[in-house]
Amino acid sequence: MNEPVSNLQQAFESGRFVFTGEIGPPKGINVEPCLQEAKKYLKATVAAVNVTDGQTAVMRIGSIAVSKMLLDRGIEPIFQMTCRDRNRIALQMDLLSAGSLGIKNVLALTGDHVAMGDHPEAKPVFDLDSVGLLQAMVKLESGTDFGKDMKGNPNQLDGIPKFFKGCCVTPCADEVEPQIIKLEKKVEAGAQFVQTQAVYDPGAFEEFMRRIEHLKVPVMVGIVMLKNAGMAKYMNRCVPGVRVPDEFIQRLSDVAKEDRQKVSIEICGELIRKMKHCCQGAHLMTLGWDHCVPEIIKAAT
Amino acid sequence: MIITERKPFDEILETLKPYTKVLVLGCGGCATVCLTGGEKQAEELASQLRLVSGPKKLDLQVEFDSITRQCDREFAENLKQSPDNYDCVLSMACGVGVQFMSQLYPDVPFLPAMNTTFYGAGVALGVWEEYCHGCGDCVLALTDGICPVARCSKSLVNGPCGGTNDGKCEVSSDMDCGWYLIYKRLAEKGKLDQFRKIQPPKDWRKDRGAGVRRMILKEMVEEEECQA
């Protein structure tokens, strides 16, 4: 077997249950607070940390810069890359940039539509889709790119990057088959690991995992912390493919405000305990409550 | 057809400020079919303009006319009013018509009364929806007659994104998810294998990637040259 490209890949190969965290870069250049959080709560607890790429189409500092800053602090990043803002030339350029900076894990995403964000007047790009972006990574790894030289021959790269390539899927989408077909295409295109959208229904997730058994790629179940009942209801209303059961909403509304965080940690722990037998890891999205990560991991075991 | 929508009245008035004699020119093509810029609408707009002219101190003298199509040289002959007799023409055709007519009458300013919005079809009384993007490389055979380029907000070629929600698009709950429609139709017909095949990145040169587009029917051009 080939040498693992990144610590994250190595963690999957070791067979242990893998945790990843996530940070959202700031709007501005004041990166210290999020880097400090990552250092304090994520460095020792998770295998790698996702760095979001203009999440929900809101303009922020770029994922590539923050990924490199994590790397410099001894934290392995997962560079999230969306197809929303860059054409294939820019995407491949940024992949080379990431490769040259030592960033190995790349998560290929379509990206939220610009209409969802804070610059709705912007021109959406989507030149490649997530499948095409994975193909771009494979092309670069093979020493070429999507283009051709003046004679019409494939371009040759001077120095070849190597990535551990990831993708995303929504296991609890109202219509799951098209999600599965697209996931099959992503794996065929080169995806080596999967992080899922938030899951709150272990039964549906287990069924989903049965249906993608043939894909043989490590899957990390997405765990989004429910900070309060209002947020849970909002997710039910507005986040596609996410269904928070009434039981969780009830528990969050019944508890006193000061104990709410404890309950949301418990819910995360329970969810992971119920699903860990059928997947290879959990991707923790704490939405700013990074300090809860060590306790979630404790509650999950 | 090409769908057009009339510009806000105030915007039209603003563009007419420098002029007195105005010809409102309807188009008998798509703009008539989608009930926005035909002869009837030209007549209406002309009378609206006359009505506000006094109160707004604009001193407008407005007439109207309409021809079969503003995108074809031969129909210009049917004009009852000559554009040359006016300070400007307010065209109710799509952007093609405005430009084409302005090329035929270079001395008269042709102003757009419409916004040209999309290639679409009427789906219900008074409702038109976008069906085609004019990408220059039709994939409808693969997707069984539903276009992912025009009807997916992100023009994705390999399936839905994570924003698909109960058959609707993340952009708006009033908008169908194009890939949901494609999936449903292919599944119904037992043709999901067409969805399973990876589609390579689209060649956008056929869209606008290679600049301004042009179509040449060789046989016609050659015939014309022979006759000449």
Side-chain angles (χ1 to χ4, degrees):
Chain A
M1 191 181 249
N2 291 337
E3 275 289 294
V5 168
S6 68
N7 292 336
L8 180 64
Q9 186 175 19
Q10 191 168 33
F12 286 126
E13 284 173 7
S14 76
R16 69 172 200 264
F17 192 78
V18 180
F19 287 98
T20 49
E22 179 166 307
I23 57 168
K27 196 175 185 70
I29 61 168
N30 183 20
V31 286
E32 261 329 298
C34 84
L35 294 173
Q36 282 302 325
E37 289 251 314
K39 213 167 146 185
K40 206 163 158 192
Y41 303 114
L42 303 177
K43 188 174 178 179
T45 53
V46 299
V49 175
N50 286 46
V51 183
T52 56
D53 178 23
Q55 201 172 4
T56 65
V58 169
M59 193 289 291
R60 294 158 191 277
I61 187 171
S63 171
I64 206 162
V66 177
S67 293
K68 166 69 170 145
M69 292 174 209
L70 285 182
L71 209 54
D72 290 344
R73 285 156 182 79
I75 303 165
E76 183 163 294
I78 299 171
F79 168 37
Q80 293 196 183
M81 216 179 183
T82 73
C83 300
R84 177 189 59 234
D85 308 315
R86 285 163 284 199
N87 67 11
R88 69 192 76 182
I89 300 173
L91 286 168
Q92 293 176 102
M93 283 168 68
D94 278 356
L95 282 167
L96 289 182
S97 303
S100 74
L101 293 168
I103 296 164
K104 302 292 186 189
N105 308 308
V106 184
L107 189 75
L109 302 166
T110 305
D112 293 318
H113 198 276
V114 297
M116 321 284 291
D118 65 349
H119 287 64
E121 306 86 352
K123 184 173 184 181
V125 181
F126 303 111
D127 173 22
L128 301 183
D129 61 8
S130 48
V131 174
L133 177 54
L134 287 157
Q135 288 176 317
M137 290 188 227
V138 172
K139 284 250 182 213
L140 298 181
E141 286 177 324
S142 71
T144 182
D145 60 19
F146 269 129
K148 288 189 173 67
D149 67 14
M150 305 288 271
K151 290 179 186 154
N153 299 315
N155 288 320
Q156 298 300 316
L157 300 185
D158 179 12
I160 297 169
K162 194 88 188 128
F163 302 111
F164 185 47
K165 305 171 285 297
C167 70
C168 187
V169 73
T170 307
C172 302
D174 47 277
E175 195 72 66
V176 82
E177 192 178 24
Q179 292 290 322
I180 291 175
I181 294 174
K182 189 153 182 198
L183 180 63
E184 288 168 345
K185 290 163 103 167
K186 289 175 184 179
V187 172
E188 190 188 334
Q192 296 163 289
F193 72 98
V194 182
Q195 289 180 326
T196 79
Q197 171 62 288
V199 175
Y200 297 100
D201 182 346
F205 182 69
E206 204 174 334
E207 168 62 19
F208 171 81
M209 289 304 294
R210 253 199 305 276
R211 292 182 66 177
I212 63 157
E213 229 167 28
H214 59 287
L215 290 179
K216 313 271 181 234
V217 283
V219 175
M220 312 188 77
V221 62
I223 302 290
V224 171
M225 264 190 116
L226 297 169
K227 291 181 166 181
N228 52 55
M231 176 195 154
K233 285 181 198 156
Y234 170 82
M235 288 184 73
N236 276 345
R237 219 172 39 243
C238 300
V239 183
V242 174
R243 239 146 267 175
V244 183
D246 293 341
E247 183 221 324
F248 292 155
I249 300 177
Q250 198 57 50
R251 277 166 67 183
L252 287 163
S253 16
D254 288 348
V255 72
K257 201 177 171 193
E258 58 273 20
D259 291 330
R260 223 181 259 157
Q261 199 166 83
K262 214 178 109 221
V263 171
S264 61
I265 291 170
E266 272 169 27
I267 292 174
C268 293
E270 268 173 49
L271 285 169
I272 299 168
R273 286 203 306 277
K274 282 186 184 154
M275 294 186 276
K276 66 192 298 186
H277 69 281
C278 65
C279 61
Q280 288 68 44
H283 175 53
L284 308 177
M285 292 167 270
T286 58
L287 312 175
W289 283 5
D290 292 331
H291 60 278
C292 299
V293 165
E295 284 185 71
I296 294 173
I297 294 175
K298 211 189 288 168
T301 42
Chain B
M1 80 185 110
I2 297 175
I3 308 296
T4 44
E5 239 177 319
R6 214 187 79 184
K7 281 180 175 290
F9 192 61
D10 287 344
E11 187 184 334
I12 293 175
L13 278 184
E14 189 62 33
T15 59
L16 292 179
K17 260 188 181 165
Y19 309 107
T20 303
K21 288 188 74 183
V22 178
L23 177 66
V24 180
L25 185 59
C27 179
C30 311
T32 294
V33 185
C34 73
L35 309 173
T36 53
E39 184 168 17
K40 185 165 172 275
Q41 290 78 25
E43 185 177 5
E44 279 167 11
L45 180 56
S47 53
Q48 274 178 308
L49 290 169
R50 279 184 220 114
L51 275 174
V52 299
S53 171
K56 297 234 177 196
K57 299 188 176 64
L58 287 170
D59 191 29
L60 291 174
Q61 295 166 29
V62 191
E63 297 299 329
F64 78 94
D65 195 356
S66 188
I67 51 172
T68 311
R69 277 205 302 273
Q70 293 189 28
C71 57
D72 236 323
R73 195 177 294 269
E74 64 187 273
F75 296 113
E77 292 164 13
N78 301 347
L79 277 164
K80 293 182 280 291
Q81 308 272 353
S82 170
D84 292 319
N85 296 335
Y86 289 85
D87 296 338
C88 75
V89 176
L90 187 57
S91 165
M92 297 191 79
C94 67
V96 179
V98 180
Q99 294 179 65
F100 195 77
M101 292 303 287
S102 122
Q103 219 164 287
L104 292 184
Y105 297 91
D107 297 332
V108 189
F110 271 73
L111 308 172
M114 316 297 283
N115 287 321
T116 306
T117 43
F118 53 84
Y119 307 137
V123 292
L125 203 64
V127 183
W128 286 266
E129 278 181 10
E130 182 164 16
Y131 273 70
C132 176
H133 171 85
C135 75
D137 192 12
C138 193
V139 295
L140 286 172
L142 273 172
T143 51
D144 214 61
I146 299 168
C147 177
V149 184
R151 296 172 74 184
C152 162
S153 298
K154 302 176 184 175
S155 300
L156 302 177
V157 294
N158 278 299
C161 68
T164 177
N165 199 10
D166 287 324
K168 299 294 172 185
C169 173
E170 70 181 13
V171 171
S172 160
S173 55
D174 301 329
M175 206 180 277
D176 289 328
C177 165
W179 271 104
Y180 176 85
L181 299 176
I182 294 168
Y183 161 72
K184 280 287 181 196
R185 186 173 289 182
L186 291 175
E188 232 166 67
K189 295 192 179 171
K191 291 177 168 176
L192 280 178
D193 280 349
Q194 289 174 209
F195 178 2
R196 289 198 173 92
K197 210 171 148 258
I198 290 186
Q199 292 308 314
K202 213 170 159 55
D203 179 354
W204 294 107
R205 276 177 302 189
K206 295 167 180 164
D207 187 89
R208 283 277 302 173
V212 183
R213 293 179 280 182
R214 177 180 220 195
M215 188 194 75
I216 298 168
L217 277 183
K218 260 197 187 152
E219 303 84 344
M220 264 179 105
V221 176
E222 278 162 13
E223 208 174 303
E224 186 86 2
E225 276 167 2
C226 283
Q227 281 172 8

